[in-house]
Amino acid sequence: MQHQSDQPRDNSRMMGKLLMAAILMFGFGFALVPFYEKICEVTGINILARKDKLDYSEAREFAKNTQVDTSRQITIEFDANVQGAMAFKPKTAYMTVHPGELATVTYELVNATQASLVGQAIPSYAPRHSATHFKKLECFCFQQQELKGRERREFPVVFVIDPKLPADISTITLSYTFFEVAGRAQAPTLIRVGS
């Protein structure tokens, strides 16, 4: 049988254990962010847009100092997917480039609604390991895009393929998924009738 004098001590122990569990869970939550980023880096999932932003100035410098390898041709295929009430497509399905050569492709985006919307494009590459050799100098995927109702816009993507691309890769597919960013479009303005 437990004595009444032991109760405060047991309560203090339990409180200490609960406090320690809360601190560990909080620490685990913070540790998940770098852990998640490392897993994404290893698997190639969900880091491509971030990597493009970080490598922008590096890509510009790279393009200025790269020799064009005319002995080799790479076919770049362009693909587009959309999530939401938009039409999204590349103006050309593919092009052939030499490694080190500056190239441009244009994507067209149409807001099919009357309301303004804000969206973001996320790139992906196939084969996946070609992503590190695909250097973008200009891309609409670097930031969110706002389109007014029924607006049609064209976005250039300026890129260069690193001549260090493995010799067994002769085709790269660049695919963008454009999706609406929730909560960013402006709310419609209400007009008050009467007084």
Side-chain angles (χ1 to χ4, degrees):
M1 183 169 179
Q2 191 173 19
H3 296 290
Q4 288 236 340
S5 61
D6 292 340
Q7 182 112 15
R9 190 172 25 166
D10 289 343
N11 287 346
S12 294
R13 264 194 230 144
M14 180 58 80
M15 184 62 158
K17 288 177 183 179
L18 290 173
L19 186 61
M20 183 57 75
I23 291 169
L24 288 173
M25 286 190 298
F26 190 73
F28 181 71
F30 271 105
L32 277 179
V33 174
F35 182 68
Y36 173 77
E37 287 177 353
K38 193 47 107 174
I39 286 178
C40 288
E41 183 180 326
V42 169
T43 61
I45 300 170
N46 203 24
I47 62 160
L48 301 174
R50 185 173 153 261
K51 178 173 256 179
D52 281 341
K53 286 182 187 176
L54 295 175
D55 291 346
Y56 174 75
S57 59
E58 178 187 314
R60 272 220 187 273
E61 197 60 36
F62 175 83
K64 281 198 283 187
N65 298 318
T66 300
Q67 296 292 326
V68 176
D69 181 359
T70 55
S71 68
R72 189 171 168 205
Q73 289 188 327
I74 309 296
T75 300
I76 311 295
E77 299 173 338
F78 303 104
D79 180 45
N81 305 291
V82 68
Q83 300 290 322
M86 297 163 276
F88 180 50
K89 65 180 181 179
K91 299 280 274 188
T92 183
Y94 68 92
M95 71 172 52
T96 303
V97 299
H98 298 291
E101 175 185 13
L102 204 58
T104 303
V105 64
T106 303
Y107 278 77
E108 182 181 64
L109 179 65
V110 179
N111 178 356
T113 70
Q114 295 291 344
S116 292
L117 62 80
V118 177
Q120 176 80 45
I122 301 295
S124 61
Y125 307 86
R128 189 178 69 213
H129 59 279
S130 66
T132 57
H133 301 283
F134 202 107
K135 310 284 188 185
K136 289 199 228 43
L137 283 72
E138 183 179 334
C139 183
F140 59 99
C141 63
F142 293 155
Q143 59 193 10
Q144 294 180 351
Q145 304 296 330
E146 183 171 357
L147 279 84
K148 296 182 182 2
R150 301 290 181 202
E151 184 178 1
R152 174 187 307 265
R153 290 187 40 202
E154 292 186 354
F155 298 100
V157 178
V158 181
F159 65 93
V160 62
I161 302 299
D162 188 340
K164 293 178 185 168
L165 179 73
D168 63 334
I169 299 177
S170 59
T171 302
I172 298 173
T173 301
L174 170 62
S175 180
Y176 284 103
T177 299
F178 196 93
F179 61 93
E180 191 173 349
V181 178
R184 288 293 316 274
Q186 291 181 346
T189 305
L190 297 176
I191 299 170
R192 186 177 247 174
V193 179
S195 50

